[in-house]
């Protein structure tokens, strides 16, 4: 709304855009004029700022609160036990990499069919309760942001419009927690080797 720069007493009609302070000055002044000053203009003429839908996390990355969350928010939901976390990576990738504790693996290519299951079908398939369609803490993640972002788009089209994704994914989770990005493929071999060495040694020494 355009701000009236001067409110003059001699003007017969006061414009609705003048500020309250100006109106008071007009009522008390006889022939003097009054100019809106910066001291009162910000509180009377400027609209209140709209709430932000974004914030910057500790890594400096801008987060869209409507569709994304970062590690700090993910961790808070985990501690509260109020999250349905879905890993959309394929099974082969999970064999080579780890997963976030408590997550449910549904590969990206099966997300559409899975979300269209009835509650009973979901529970029979995944052995846990299906998230409600309006549940805000339905969260997808992958290795990075691409696949999980696609999962959110699919979910939104199916009516799960409050679902979000952990944009850092498994790579960011490993950085934050100090976990290795990839599993050690020879862990099983080392365990068997140590077992046999220990048992042989008890007979040799």
């Amino acid at each position: 709304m355009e701000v009236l720069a001067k409110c003059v007493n001699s003007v017969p009609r006061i414009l609705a855009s003048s500020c309250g302070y100006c109106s008071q000055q007009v009522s008390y002044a006889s022939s003097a004029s009054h100019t809106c000053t910066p001291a009162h203009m910000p509180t009377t003429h400027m609209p209140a700022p709209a709430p932000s839908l974004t914030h910057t996390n500790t890594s400096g990355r801008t987060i869209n609160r409507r569709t994304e969350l970062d590690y700090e928010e993910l961790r808070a939901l985990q501690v509260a036990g109020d999250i349905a976390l879905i890993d959309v990576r394929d099974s082969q990738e999970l064999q080579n990499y780890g997963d976030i504790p408590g997550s449910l693996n549904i590969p990206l290519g099966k997300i559409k069919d899975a979300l269209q299951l009835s509650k009973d079908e979901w529970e029979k398939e995944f052995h846990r309760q299906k998230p409600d369609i309006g549940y805000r803490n339905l969260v997808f993640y992958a290795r990075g942001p691409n696949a999980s972002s696609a999962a959110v788009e699919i979910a939104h089209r199916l009516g799960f419009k409050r679902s979000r994704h952990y944009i850092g994914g498994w790579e960011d989770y490993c950085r934050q927690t100090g976990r290795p990005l990839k599993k050690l493929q020879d862990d099983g071999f080392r365990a068997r080797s140590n077992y046999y060495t220990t048992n042989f040694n008890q007979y040799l020494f």
Side-chain angles (χ1 to χ4, degrees), residues 18-38:
S18 62
C19 67
Y21 181 82
C22 297
S23 300
Q24 292 177 4
Q25 294 299 317
V26 170
S27 64
Y28 289 112
S30 57
S31 59
S33 63
H34 162 70
T35 302
C36 295
T37 63

Side-chain angles (χ1 to χ4, degrees), residues 118-145:
S118 67
K119 289 188 175 183
D120 291 341
E121 291 172 335
W122 178 283
E123 292 178 7
K124 183 178 180 180
E125 178 74 19
F126 303 115
H127 307 290
R128 63 180 69 185
Q129 187 175 2
K130 182 181 180 180
D132 291 331
I133 199 165
Y135 187 47
R136 176 172 171 75
N137 296 334
L138 170 58
V139 179
F140 301 96
Y141 82 95
R143 181 172 179 175

Side-chain angles (χ1 to χ4, degrees), residues 62-96:
T62 299
I63 306 296
N64 184 333
R65 293 180 184 271
R66 191 178 69 85
T67 59
E68 303 170 341
L69 72 164
D70 57 16
Y71 173 77
E72 289 77 10
E73 294 170 291
L74 173 72
R75 184 58 186 154
L77 294 178
Q78 287 180 312
V79 171
D82 185 20
I83 186 173
L85 186 61
I86 297 181
D87 187 332
V88 300
R89 295 174 294 172
D90 59 45
S91 57
Q92 183 175 359
E93 189 172 359
L94 284 179
Q95 291 176 0
N96 296 326

Side-chain angles (χ1 to χ4, degrees), residues 58 78 97 159 161 172:
T58 54
Q78 287 180 312
Y97 297 83
K161 296 187 179 297
D172 180 67

